[in-house]
Structure formats: C-alpha cells, structure tokens
Amino acid sequence: MPILFAVCLFVLAPMVSHHKENRDAIAHASDHDRESRYIAPFVRTPEEVVARMLEVAEITPGDILYDLGSGDGRIVIAAAKRYGIKAVGFEINPALVEESRGTIKQEGLENLVEIREQDIRSVNLAPASVVTMYLYPSANLRLRRAIRSQLKPGSRVVSHQFAMGDWTPAKTEQIKDSAGLTRTIYLWRIAATRGR
C-alpha cells in the first residue's frame, strides 16, 4: 500500500499546485526514505520533456551528463543520440538497469552511454558537467550538499518537476506534455563560490 501511494502521488504531482505537490511529496518521501533503498519511484519522463530538459541544459561538445535515477535510460540515450556526448545513468532497480542496457546496445550507443547500478546517494558527481533528475523534493534536498561540493563551476543541474528548496533557479520553465499536463523544468548553474 505505501508503494502504491508513492507512485500515485508522483504520477499525479503535475496536476496539483507547485507548493502543494512539494509539501505533500516532502512529507511522504521523508517517511518513506527511512525504510527504503528507493528514494523515488520510477515514473517515465515524457519524451518531449526529456528533449526540453536537454535543451535547457545548453549541452555543448565535451559535456558529461549524469542522470540520477535513470529509470529506463531515456535521458542518457537521448543525450548521446542528439548531442553526441558521454552520458551515465545511475539506477538502483536491477530490472531497469537491464532494460536500459538492452536499449543502449540496441541503439549502438555503448561507446557513449553507461548505466551503473548504484544508489544515487553514493554517486561521485565530480566528473559531470550536467546533472539531470526527476526525484522527490526530499531527494533533491538530500543531494544538495554533494552537488555544491562536487560539481565544478559552470556545471548545470536540471530537475523535472521539483525544485531544490531555497535555491534560486537560473531558469524555470513550464511546458505541456502530450497528455496536456503542465510540467516544470528547473535549471541551476553552479557558481564559482558555493555557499552553504
């Protein structure tokens, strides 16, 4: 029952107000995180949102993209196909890791894309210049320390649907997906001086 509630909450999040969705998701995720190795359920990001997230990130040759909670691998695959960059997905669910790796092989992208079966809370972000995520607000908050301390100045962080607490985004954009739901995309740029 708790897992079903978590999935329902995450799927319905785009349809409720921004403040309410953050408040509800934070409350649930905080309780759920203590007992689970999964800090966010798998919910597919619509392809049009994936495309816009990558555009908002302003990807350039030489970028390395890390997708935290990569699910079926669609963001890392799209990044490699459209921009020719190296992309690494981090996913803890073995079935999704296997599915992603199969798709990567099918697409012939093994030289650019890698999926690591790893808890995102233990990822060293230092090699990345772009980080993408679609997680709970509480998961975003838990990653802030690593993002601030590990990413190089100029790196970009793009989040689908959920903000990073009191961090002020460089850009916030809303788009409608193919189902007519409003999706929010946030961009942060890592500054040369990172305060706590």
Side-chain angles (χ1 to χ4, degrees), residues 37-159:
R37 56 197 292 254
Y38 299 96
I39 64 173
F42 170 53
V43 180
R44 286 179 174 82
T45 300
E47 295 290 353
E48 60 272 25
V49 178
V50 170
R52 190 59 194 146
M53 288 174 74
L54 296 174
E55 289 166 6
V56 165
E58 296 178 4
I59 292 170
T60 58
D63 272 329
I64 297 174
L65 182 143
Y66 277 16
D67 185 31
L68 305 181
S70 57
D72 62 6
R74 62 182 56 198
I75 289 180
V76 289
I77 290 168
K81 283 176 79 170
R82 293 175 194 171
Y83 298 94
I85 63 166
K86 289 196 176 289
V88 183
F90 296 87
E91 176 56 54
I92 201 168
N93 183 321
L96 290 170
V97 169
E98 188 176 336
E99 179 186 342
S100 302
R101 289 174 177 167
T103 306
I104 290 162
K105 187 171 183 179
Q106 236 177 355
E107 296 281 352
L109 295 170
E110 301 101 310
N111 61 325
L112 289 176
V113 184
E114 177 187 355
I115 301 294
R116 298 181 191 164
E117 188 174 334
Q118 184 176 346
D119 189 321
I120 61 173
R121 291 167 284 196
S122 68
V123 173
N124 173 17
L125 301 173
S129 53
V130 176
V131 172
T132 56
M133 59 181 80
Y134 180 18
L135 305 167
Y136 277 132
S138 65
N140 284 8
L141 294 176
R142 290 176 69 165
L143 293 169
R144 293 197 319 175
R145 182 185 298 263
I147 288 169
R148 277 192 296 228
S149 64
Q150 296 175 16
L151 287 179
K152 298 176 286 295
S155 298
R156 286 87 71 210
V157 178
V158 181
S159 176

